[in-house]
Amino acid sequence: MKKLITLFLCVMMLATLAVSTSAAGEIYWHEDFSDKFTNPNNWILEGNEFFCDDFTDESNPCIVAYDPGRVCQMEFSEDVPIPRKYTNCSMMVRVQVRDFDSDRAEHKVGLWWRDDFYANADELGLELGEVYNVWVNADTMEMELWEEGVDAPLMTAPVSGVEVGGDWFTLGWKIVPGNISCYLNGDKILEYASANVAATEKSPILLLNSACYSAWDDVIVASADYQLFNETPAPAPVVTDTPTQSTETTTRKEVVNVTDAEGNEVTDADGNKVTEEIIVTDAPAADTNTGAVQGGSSTNTGDASFIVIAVMVAVLGCAVVVKKVNVR
């Protein structure tokens, strides 16, 4: 009996694995700033426009930026163990606007990425691609997507939950060939589709601060197919078409008795019944297919149901075999 129970549990575990799906994609890098910078090789730390030198907030380990600290740049040099350059990716960071630190510019926090980025473009004679910035503007309470060198944002949308001195929020984007999608607190706010977004060469991603005292934590970079945001995969299509009624007719020959005008069967001189051959046309046969039902309910529920049924049959079969083997 114990063997039978053990076997049953094992098979059911296999069934669970067969019908379950795992999340697609992978996380490339997670920086939580738990000890200043987890790995200094991940960031460029020099320069008076970079985030401030005091990288640790004791109450909540993170990095902070004061004006004129404007940039925290991923290290992209080939001299470090892992150059932090990405494309065809999704990226998210937690941010808090703690105060306005200056009135020299709009109060914003954002991200930077360059299309077709080449560290030694001049030496290679290559042309760099366009620079894209996504900003959360705490003055106008809007999200903005900019292309550097253009006088106006490519697109904007109103946002909420970015109050000065308020709660942390998440800012992120997904960059794939032909598309840049921007997210706030996991929700898609902007989507820019353009064939000009090549997304073929990897680029560092920069954290941007404009005239704010801001805090930053939990930088996550993942593959574009990783479910980093509040998105759900497209559901499998459900067949809801009503089965088509067949319109094909069939004909056949049939021998029948000849009758007179009053319906009496006609006989010849010897008393034999007179017959004739006629052509009969049959109506279309009714379609009894129940494989697709309106409302998404169906007698055929796909591969998962097949796997479950197959596993159940296997369980019953194994149970019978085990019982038979144990009989003495």
Side-chain angles (χ1 to χ4, degrees):
M1 184 63 181
K2 289 182 179 180
K3 291 182 179 179
L4 178 58
I5 293 174
T6 301
L7 178 62
F8 178 80
L9 292 176
C10 290
V11 175
M12 291 308 296
M13 288 174 65
L14 291 174
T16 302
L17 291 174
V19 299
S20 64
T21 57
S22 59
E26 61 178 316
I27 291 179
Y28 297 139
W29 175 38
H30 178 201
E31 171 71 271
D32 62 5
F33 304 112
S34 58
D35 183 15
K36 295 190 177 180
F37 285 97
T38 305
N39 184 345
N41 287 328
N42 290 330
W43 303 94
I44 296 176
L45 309 179
E46 299 177 356
N48 59 6
E49 289 191 348
F50 288 80
F51 282 16
C52 66
D53 293 335
D54 180 12
F55 291 108
T56 303
D57 179 344
E58 297 299 336
S59 63
N60 179 22
C62 59
I63 57 171
V64 293
Y66 303 89
D67 192 73
R70 299 191 301 141
V71 178
C72 189
Q73 179 171 326
M74 294 180 182
E75 176 59 84
F76 60 88
S77 170
E78 299 296 334
D79 296 330
V80 300
I82 304 178
R84 295 300 177 183
K85 298 188 296 183
Y86 303 95
T87 191
N88 201 21
C89 67
S90 53
M91 180 265 185
M92 182 171 68
V93 58
R94 289 202 309 132
V95 191
Q96 184 184 42
V97 179
R98 296 184 171 178
D99 202 353
F100 292 159
D101 199 42
S102 170
D103 291 327
R104 67 170 180 81
E106 289 184 292
H107 304 98
K108 303 192 292 186
V109 291
L111 305 172
W112 179 104
W113 177 83
R114 181 188 287 278
D115 199 10
D116 282 348
F117 178 89
Y118 300 92
N120 54 345
D122 292 339
E123 298 175 15
L124 298 174
L126 299 174
E127 182 178 348
L128 294 174
E130 302 298 337
V131 170
Y132 295 96
N133 298 333
V134 57
W135 292 97
V136 173
N137 191 321
D139 293 330
T140 63
M141 296 300 290
E142 290 182 322
M143 176 176 278
E144 309 164 350
L145 180 64
W146 288 78
E147 180 182 319
E148 284 193 8
V150 179
D151 295 335
L154 297 173
M155 51 184 22
T156 64
V159 296
S160 59
V162 192
E163 294 79 11
V164 176
D167 294 333
W168 289 77
F169 59 89
T170 62
L171 172 63
W173 54 5
K174 182 185 295 183
I175 301 167
V176 297
N179 188 283
I180 298 176
S181 300
C182 306
Y183 300 79
L184 185 71
N185 289 327
D187 296 327
K188 184 187 293 185
I189 306 298
L190 300 174
E191 182 170 12
Y192 176 67
S194 172
N196 294 330
V197 182
T200 53
E201 293 296 326
K202 296 180 179 180
S203 166
I205 299 174
L206 281 60
L207 314 181
L208 303 178
N209 180 69
S210 173
C212 292
Y213 165 37
S214 58
W216 304 71
D217 199 3
D218 288 320
V219 175
I220 300 176
V221 184
S223 57
D225 57 350
Y226 187 82
Q227 295 298 312
L228 192 58
F229 307 108
N230 297 335
E231 298 177 309
T232 55
V238 178
V239 178
T240 58
D241 294 335
T242 303
T244 303
Q245 181 73 24
S246 174
T247 58
E248 183 179 355
T249 59
T250 58
T251 59
R252 55 187 172 84
K253 294 181 180 180
E254 186 173 323
V255 177
V256 296
N257 296 327
V258 177
T259 58
D260 58 20
E262 297 179 356
N264 300 315
E265 294 180 346
V266 178
T267 58
D268 58 17
D270 297 327
N272 299 317
K273 293 181 180 180
V274 178
T275 61
E276 64 179 347
E277 188 177 83
I278 62 173
I279 303 297
V280 178
T281 300
D282 293 323
D287 190 343
T288 58
N289 176 26
T290 59
V293 182
Q294 290 290 343
S297 176
S298 172
T299 57
N300 179 14
T301 55
D303 295 339
S305 297
F306 175 78
I307 294 173
V308 171
I309 294 171
V311 170
M312 292 175 65
V313 172
V315 171
L316 295 175
C318 290
V320 172
V321 171
V322 170
K323 180 166 183 170
K324 184 175 181 181
V325 168
N326 288 337
V327 173
R328 299 299 184 193

